Amino acid sequence: MHAVVGSKHHRHAMRLQVFHPRAAREIFSRQQIDGYMFDVEILVLARRLGYSIQQVPIRWRDDGDSRLALVSGNLRNVADIFRIRRLHSEVKEKP
């Protein structure tokens, strides 16, 4: 994932994400992915737009009803990672 979209974060789906209202408006107004990779897109946008990202550990319980189709779901995830790169290539990373 890092090679495609430059994301330096690991285990995206296992993070609770909290945003300042101004940052949330700017980031989520650009969001286009609606599947499992939406959180990767959000973190990529936040970093490229110059927002700081802090990782804070939390205790998490999986939703037993959450499902991902083994082949088609993972193919969609890979396609979405490349889609994130294509969709947001114009958003240049701020220092």
Side-chain angles (χ1 to χ4, degrees), residues 41-56:
E41 180 184 26
I42 295 303
L43 290 172
V44 166
L45 282 167
R47 186 185 38 113
R48 288 187 179 177
L49 292 167
Y51 292 104
S52 65
I53 299 171
Q54 303 297 318
Q55 296 188 47
V56 179

Side-chain angles (χ1 to χ4, degrees), residues 18-47:
V18 180
F19 300 87
H20 185 278
R22 182 176 51 93
R25 281 189 294 277
E26 184 174 14
I27 294 165
F28 284 96
S29 69
R30 297 171 184 248
Q31 177 194 3
Q32 296 186 41
I33 302 295
D34 65 355
Y36 275 91
M37 294 290 114
F38 86 93
D39 51 348
V40 173
E41 180 184 26
I42 295 303
L43 290 172
V44 166
L45 282 167
R47 186 185 38 113

Side-chain angles (χ1 to χ4, degrees), residues 71-88:
V71 176
S72 63
N74 282 306
L75 288 174
R76 179 180 176 187
N77 289 347
V78 169
D80 280 347
I81 290 169
F82 284 97
R83 189 171 162 221
I84 290 166
R85 181 174 71 176
R86 181 180 50 79
L87 288 170
H88 304 297

Side-chain angles (χ1 to χ4, degrees), residues 59-73:
R59 182 167 293 218
W60 186 265
R61 290 189 185 162
D62 281 332
D63 179 354
D65 194 35
S66 180
R67 297 180 192 101
L68 175 66
L70 184 60
V71 176
S72 63

